[in-house]
Amino acid sequence: YLLGRFDDFTIASSWERFISEIEAICRQWLADGPKILMQKGAETVPSFENLYMVKRELKHGKRVYCMEYHFRKSAKGKYSYWDDDTHSTQLSFGVDEFLIIAPLSASGVVLDDPESTKLLSSVAIALSNCGSNWPAFVPVHDPSRKAYIGIQNMGTVFTRRFEADRIGSQVPIRLMHLEGLHELFLSKFVLSSTDFPAKVKVNFSMKLTYRTPEHDYDHEETLDSEATESIPESEVASQPRKQWDDDCPWAEWYSAEDPVKGFELTTIWGEKMFEESFEMAEVENASSFDADSWLLQPVVSPYMVDDSIGKFVGFASQLHLLVNAFESSAEAQFLEDFVADNSGQDNSKSSVAVPPPSVIDRVMKDLFNDEVGNSNYVEAENKYGRALKGAPSDSLFAQFCLHALWFGNCNMRAIAVLWIDFVREIRWCWEESERLPRMKTTSSIDLSSCVIHQKLQMLAICIERKKSLNRKKDTDDAHKEKTSNSMAPDKIRKGSAGVVPSMMLINTFQEMHAPYTQDAPLMTEDMHEERLHAAEAFGNAVGLSGQLERDILSSDMSAFKAANPDAAFEDFIRWHSPGDWVSEDKSDGNPTWPPKGRLSQRMSEHGNMWRKIWNDAPALPVSEQKSLLDSVREGEKVVHYLETLRPQQLLEQMVCTAFKSSADILNKTTYGGFKLMKTKMDQLYATMVSTLRSLQGKSDTSDLAGDLKRLCQVFEHIEKLLIFAASVHRKLDAPRLAQSIFTDYFNYYLPKMGTSLESICYEKEFTTKEKVGTLEREAVSSLFRPPTANQSWRKVLSMGNLLNGHEPIQREIVFSVLEKLSNGHYSSPTPLCTDEQIETHRMYICGTSNDLWIALSVTSWD
């Protein structure tokens, strides 16, 4: 006692204080147990579902150390060390929970032998004081060697010691083969071979990992010698390299990076017992088909794992640019304003950049290619697709929208330039009466499509009718000249489509003929709206529409008169409006003549409009009537509409059509009918319908931009999934296995599929392996095409265990020896009455022909 202070001589040195601190931490962890440690914030070890970690920092002298305790969330019983959920330390040394202690330095390893020995001894003493049998490890030497030393107290009788090191290059040939590795394991037992029986029973298990070589799509099909000789070498070199997706629907617009770079096949040879080294050679030469299990995993491209916004280039990225252009479309009233000379701006900037005229010419030649012909709109129609107010993906306007996505960087100025040239070509087609390419031959307007597509349909019909009128005029002129001096009789039947069954004319004993009639005049959606608004303004919708109805009725009456020269008004009513004829014929199904009956009350009224029109209608077949559709006037109106379209109106329809057409193209992809993929495509269409419906409501652009950008994000996720599905399907000719692999990736990717515009970082990599069925092994082995003799990667020195000529990229082996506690070196001085076995020696080997890592654990008697 000195000046009121005590010195505690029971903890005299800093080393003992260091041990005491380790012991206190370990006692706390032991007392808490896994459940409480997890509640206190234990971290999940990345890539391992069932492994957690807690850590603490300790100071000894000037060094600061970090001690980590790794433990399982739940004991799931006996597990295979080849499980993917097994940590490298667990696999290497055959342990479950474990401690690692290392200095907090750049390398994280102990370079000094005395320091590492002292550090490991400190942990061993602390654990012994706690009564814990946790194994403890210290990393040593250069970090590249991945070397460890370790120790585990196993009660009061045994101690396990661990060490691991690596041969980074120049692996001895003997250690490339199983026989040499088996001999290496045996050499670790004792100094003298006389200490063990001549034949040692060694447990052996092996895991081989193969990776498919990079696929060469240029040589998918071997050319015969004659064909090869006929192609000059210079021409072969100049041919473009074939891409993996050349025959995929999206290939016309972009080439996607292959999301599946290849496959990794894991073959596992379950635990077997061997006594002789030569038996290892037999295993090395055995077929991979003899392995107990096969597991397959796709090698996924980094862009499929990294979900950073904007890195993926496809329809989604270009649609995002189109949405940006839509945002700026309200800045001007006329498209020419965007094209105007921007002398104050840098034209090289992405916001105003426009490709050169040569690119515009190529786009126009593709759009108005004479060889394209009439589009039949053949597409994989989705059940939600008809609800989108766009245009069919093969139609002229849809193709314009798709070209615009890839024209420059799809800015508003580039779109305006392209549209003006596009409309100029359309006017030329109209004025020259040239048919519009990519437009379906039809006599109706599809009101479920966007207005621009409806207008182009109208124009295509007007062009055809304009051409017909010109031909008819020439024919009529020639006919008039030929018949100018001759009479035709008044009562010649014209324009009959055939006899009406069981109907006779009232005044003459003649069969009634149905005439060919004109179609109702075509109208686009905006024309219908204009008529409705005008009717509301005049307050008399019936009166306004009456003129159109009178024109149609007069046309039908003229055609009926021409087909039935002796017909009466009552005959027309009986054919055209049977409800206005009250029959008094009492015959049993056998018509009598003349027909007995009378007109309805409304048709009998004085001044009836129908009778007046009948009296005024001349007898003219359809071929001689004036068309109800004024094709010249309506055609000019269409071209005028296209030339004066406001930017915002154009962009609204482009956005709808571009989203629909892009989805329709992707929807044509063959991906094996994976159920989850089909469901996601349906969800994409449904989301597009709900989001794009707002565009038709003429909402403010600023309100819609956010929703449209989120839709782009959803589109990107599903586009990437679809490309992944297509790649797996075309590579793997095993439907169940392909679908299972896609399902695994889908479940991995699902958390990323939000609509957030921010990038979310996911540390976990896609490592899920799918078990290969026995009948699927042949299809999987075909992924490994036998190498040709001149392939540079083929090695002279081989590890063996070849699969179609390919050696494994990694071979992992576990050797172990078990002995009863009551026998030999491991028996107690006091005889133990037990048959329990202990793993006395264990060696884990991992490597290739030029890289070998070995971990050894030895149990000794204390």
Side-chain angles (χ1 to χ4, degrees):
Y1 178 79
L2 180 64
L3 298 177
R5 290 167 53 193
F6 289 94
D7 285 335
D8 187 354
F9 291 98
T10 60
I11 306 176
S13 68
S14 62
W15 182 52
E16 288 173 311
R17 286 194 293 271
F18 183 55
I19 293 172
S20 178
E21 189 176 353
I22 294 174
E23 182 181 336
I25 295 170
C26 291
R27 284 186 185 278
Q28 184 63 57
W29 288 344
L30 278 167
D32 287 343
K35 188 174 182 180
I36 295 177
L37 287 175
M38 288 169 62
Q39 291 174 355
K40 288 184 174 180
E43 302 172 13
T44 308
V45 179
S47 301
F48 298 95
E49 293 179 2
N50 198 33
L51 195 63
Y52 286 76
M53 175 188 70
V54 288
K55 58 185 178 183
R56 288 282 294 275
E57 292 183 8
L58 307 98
K59 193 171 183 181
H60 178 50
K62 294 182 179 180
R63 298 293 294 265
V64 179
Y65 298 94
C66 179
M67 185 167 67
E68 299 175 353
Y69 168 47
H70 293 71
F71 62 92
R72 289 185 177 273
K73 176 174 64 175
S74 59
K76 57 178 184 179
K78 184 174 175 62
Y79 64 94
S80 167
Y81 38 71
W82 298 129
D83 286 349
D84 286 337
D85 204 30
T86 303
H87 190 273
S88 60
T89 304
Q90 295 170 320
L91 171 60
S92 305
F93 301 106
V95 297
D96 193 358
E97 50 192 353
F98 58 92
L99 286 175
I100 294 180
I101 187 165
L104 279 174
S105 61
S107 64
V109 296
V110 182
L111 303 178
D112 186 325
D113 279 344
E115 183 185 2
S116 61
T117 304
K118 186 176 182 180
L119 192 58
L120 190 62
S121 301
S122 302
V123 179
I125 294 169
L127 290 173
S128 179
N129 293 343
C130 297
S132 168
N133 60 353
W134 292 342
F137 299 92
V138 175
V140 294
H141 306 308
D142 185 84
S144 63
R145 288 170 61 176
K146 296 189 290 187
Y148 288 88
I149 57 172
I151 193 166
Q152 180 181 15
N153 296 318
M154 301 179 69
T156 58
V157 182
F158 302 111
T159 300
R160 288 178 81 189
R161 289 181 171 80
F162 310 97
E163 62 175 309
D165 210 342
R166 172 175 175 244
I167 303 174
S169 61
Q170 297 181 337
V171 176
I173 294 177
R174 183 174 66 89
L175 298 184
M176 291 184 191
H177 299 281
L178 296 181
E179 192 171 354
L181 293 171
H182 179 255
E183 291 172 355
L184 174 67
F185 176 60
L186 293 178
S187 71
K188 298 297 180 180
F189 287 179
V190 284
L191 295 175
S192 171
S193 61
T194 57
D195 292 337
F196 272 81
K199 293 183 178 180
V200 179
K201 293 182 178 179
V202 175
N203 294 310
F204 164 85
S205 182
M206 179 169 68
K207 174 181 175 182
L208 302 175
T209 303
Y210 300 87
R211 177 174 287 191
T212 56
E214 185 177 350
H215 199 77
D216 189 353
Y217 294 95
D218 287 321
H219 298 90
E220 259 186 334
E221 298 178 3
T222 306
L223 296 171
D224 60 2
S225 57
E226 292 180 7
T228 305
E229 289 172 7
S230 64
I231 302 175
E233 187 176 341
S234 60
E235 290 185 22
V236 173
S238 64
Q239 289 179 347
R241 180 174 172 82
K242 188 175 180 184
Q243 302 298 323
W244 78 274
D245 59 349
D246 277 351
D247 56 349
C248 290
W250 63 78
E252 181 183 354
W253 303 101
Y254 69 94
S255 179
E257 180 183 340
D258 195 342
V260 180
K261 296 300 185 185
F263 290 90
E264 280 191 2
L265 172 65
T266 301
T267 61
I268 295 176
W269 305 71
E271 197 166 276
K272 293 180 175 60
M273 188 176 288
F274 296 98
E275 295 184 357
E276 301 281 357
S277 290
F278 72 83
E279 293 176 291
M280 292 287 99
E282 294 177 1
V283 174
E284 187 171 297
N285 294 322
S287 167
S288 299
F289 282 80
D290 295 338
D292 294 293
S293 60
W294 281 24
L295 301 168
L296 193 67
Q297 172 193 349
V299 180
V300 181
S301 171
Y303 89 84
M304 292 294 291
V305 177
D306 183 0
D307 65 333
S308 300
I309 307 299
K311 288 194 174 181
F312 170 76
V313 176
F315 283 126
S317 61
Q318 305 311 111
L319 288 168
H320 195 277
L321 296 174
L322 182 63
V323 170
N324 291 339
F326 168 69
E327 279 190 279
S328 62
S329 64
E331 294 174 3
Q333 289 293 313
F334 304 101
L335 285 159
E336 288 76 9
D337 294 339
F338 289 103
V339 183
D341 181 29
N342 295 303
S343 55
Q345 296 187 31
D346 181 2
N347 284 351
S348 64
K349 288 183 179 179
S350 62
S351 60
V352 294
V354 176
S358 59
V359 177
I360 300 175
D361 290 342
R362 281 201 301 271
V363 172
M364 292 303 143
K365 284 178 182 176
D366 182 73
L367 285 171
F368 292 89
N369 185 355
D370 289 335
E371 298 176 2
V372 171
N374 293 343
S375 171
N376 291 318
Y377 308 154
V378 178
E379 54 189 87
E381 188 68 57
N382 184 277
K383 60 184 178 181
Y384 298 103
R386 297 294 295 173
L388 289 165
K389 292 282 284 186
S393 60
D394 291 337
S395 67
L396 184 57
F397 180 58
Q399 290 292 304
F400 169 83
C401 293
L402 290 167
H403 272 290
L405 290 178
W406 305 93
F407 185 68
N409 61 355
C410 196
N411 64 71
M412 190 60 232
R413 184 167 180 247
I415 291 171
V417 168
L418 195 64
W419 177 256
I420 290 169
D421 266 75
F422 176 70
V423 175
R424 189 179 295 127
E425 290 291 329
I426 287 175
R427 174 165 280 285
W428 182 89
C429 289
W430 165 242
E431 292 176 349
E432 299 298 323
S433 297
E434 291 288 337
R435 67 168 181 80
L436 285 181
R438 305 179 187 274
M439 295 305 296
K440 188 176 183 180
T441 304
T442 180
S443 58
S444 62
I445 303 292
D446 180 8
L447 297 178
S448 68
S449 63
C450 65
V451 173
I452 291 177
H453 179 68
Q454 294 177 39
K455 293 290 185 185
L456 291 174
Q457 280 186 310
M458 173 72 85
L459 187 62
I461 293 168
C462 289
I463 290 173
E464 289 303 314
R465 295 198 179 179
K466 185 179 170 187
K467 289 166 70 175
S468 298
L469 284 173
N470 292 337
R471 285 194 297 267
K472 183 174 179 294
K473 183 180 178 184
D474 294 340
T475 304
D476 288 349
D477 290 344
H479 182 69
K480 283 179 183 177
E481 185 178 342
K482 185 176 179 180
T483 61
S484 59
N485 297 320
S486 64
M487 295 296 291
D490 290 339
K491 296 195 175 183
I492 294 178
R493 191 186 310 279
K494 296 179 181 179
S496 171
V499 174
V500 180
S502 304
M503 290 188 77
M504 307 289 286
L505 298 180
I506 288 177
N507 295 333
T508 60
F509 188 69
Q510 296 179 33
E511 293 178 309
M512 183 184 290
H513 285 249
Y516 288 108
T517 58
Q518 290 199 52
D519 293 327
L522 300 173
M523 285 191 288
T524 57
E525 182 182 329
D526 62 327
M527 292 168 69
H528 281 288
E529 290 178 358
E530 284 174 12
R531 289 185 67 232
L532 184 61
H533 292 156
E536 291 172 353
F538 284 102
N540 183 7
V542 177
L544 182 83
S545 61
Q547 182 58 50
L548 178 62
E549 291 170 355
R550 283 194 293 272
D551 291 342
I552 295 171
L553 190 59
S554 177
S555 172
D556 290 349
M557 287 177 173
S558 291
F560 187 82
K561 283 183 175 182
N564 301 280
D566 295 318
F569 176 64
E570 287 78 4
D571 292 319
F572 178 76
I573 295 299
R574 290 165 58 215
W575 170 73
H576 191 280
S577 182
D580 284 309
W581 176 255
V582 182
S583 177
E584 297 173 350
D585 191 350
K586 302 194 186 295
S587 61
D588 299 330
N590 298 314
T592 60
W593 186 87
K596 296 178 181 179
R598 56 186 171 81
L599 292 173
S600 67
Q601 184 178 349
R602 77 170 184 132
M603 289 297 173
S604 303
E605 291 175 351
H606 179 71
N608 178 268
M609 184 63 69
W610 282 50
R611 187 176 289 276
K612 185 177 184 304
I613 295 172
W614 170 266
N615 293 334
D616 295 339
L620 289 173
V622 169
S623 59
E624 298 177 17
Q625 293 180 17
K626 180 183 177 182
S627 174
L628 291 172
L629 174 71
D630 187 338
S631 56
V632 175
R633 185 184 66 173
E634 294 302 330
E636 279 294 342
K637 285 170 67 177
V638 168
V639 176
H640 178 74
Y641 168 85
L642 298 175
E643 289 175 335
T644 58
L645 194 63
R646 287 175 47 237
Q648 187 173 338
Q649 291 176 321
L650 171 62
L651 267 293
E652 284 173 357
Q653 297 180 64
M654 282 185 68
V655 167
C656 283
T657 298
F659 268 103
K660 180 182 184 300
S661 298
S662 300
D664 286 344
I665 289 171
L666 293 178
N667 202 33
K668 297 176 187 176
T669 305
T670 303
Y671 54 81
F674 300 159
K675 292 180 181 178
L676 287 171
M677 190 66 250
K678 187 178 184 310
T679 301
K680 274 295 167 190
M681 283 304 296
D682 287 345
Q683 289 177 3
L684 173 62
Y685 275 97
T687 306
M688 288 195 301
V689 169
S690 62
T691 304
L692 298 176
R693 187 179 290 124
S694 303
L695 276 174
Q696 299 157 31
K698 308 296 186 291
S699 301
D700 186 38
T701 55
S702 58
D703 296 335
L704 290 170
D707 291 340
L708 290 173
K709 287 176 181 177
R710 280 185 284 274
L711 178 59
C712 290
Q713 193 59 36
V714 172
F715 199 105
E716 177 175 325
H717 290 313
I718 294 176
E719 185 175 9
K720 287 165 73 173
L721 274 178
L722 187 78
I723 295 172
F724 180 85
S727 181
V728 170
H729 170 68
R730 66 195 296 122
K731 289 179 173 66
L732 193 55
D733 187 21
R736 184 212 64 84
L737 184 59
Q739 176 144 319
S740 296
I741 287 174
F742 175 76
T743 301
D744 290 337
Y745 182 79
F746 179 89
N747 292 331
Y748 156 79
Y749 194 81
L750 197 59
K752 302 171 182 282
M753 292 186 67
T755 57
S756 171
L757 298 178
E758 300 298 323
S759 176
I760 303 172
C761 181
Y762 289 85
E763 295 182 0
K764 183 180 177 183
E765 295 181 357
F766 179 67
T767 56
T768 307
K769 295 182 174 70
E770 192 63 39
K771 188 168 184 179
V772 180
T774 305
L775 299 178
E776 296 168 330
R777 291 188 179 188
E778 193 64 46
V780 172
S781 69
S782 68
L783 296 170
F784 297 85
R785 299 189 174 193
T788 56
N790 62 351
Q791 283 183 310
S792 60
W793 53 265
R794 190 175 185 182
K795 297 179 176 65
V796 177
L797 296 175
S798 174
M799 296 162 56
N801 294 118
L802 300 181
L803 174 60
N804 291 348
H806 299 267
E807 67 176 28
I809 60 167
Q810 183 169 279
R811 177 170 60 192
E812 298 171 81
I813 301 167
V814 172
F815 290 117
S816 63
V817 171
L818 300 176
E819 186 170 337
K820 290 183 180 179
L821 291 175
S822 56
N823 294 341
H825 293 268
Y826 299 94
S827 60
S828 166
T830 305
L832 299 173
C833 297
T834 178
D835 287 332
E836 184 183 346
Q837 289 187 318
I838 188 171
E839 190 177 64
T840 59
H841 290 77
R842 183 184 190 275
M843 181 181 282
Y844 167 76
I845 302 163
C846 174
T848 61
S849 55
N850 57 7
D851 189 2
L852 197 64
W853 192 77
I854 299 175
L856 179 68
S857 64
V858 178
T859 304
S860 61
W861 174 265
D862 287 340

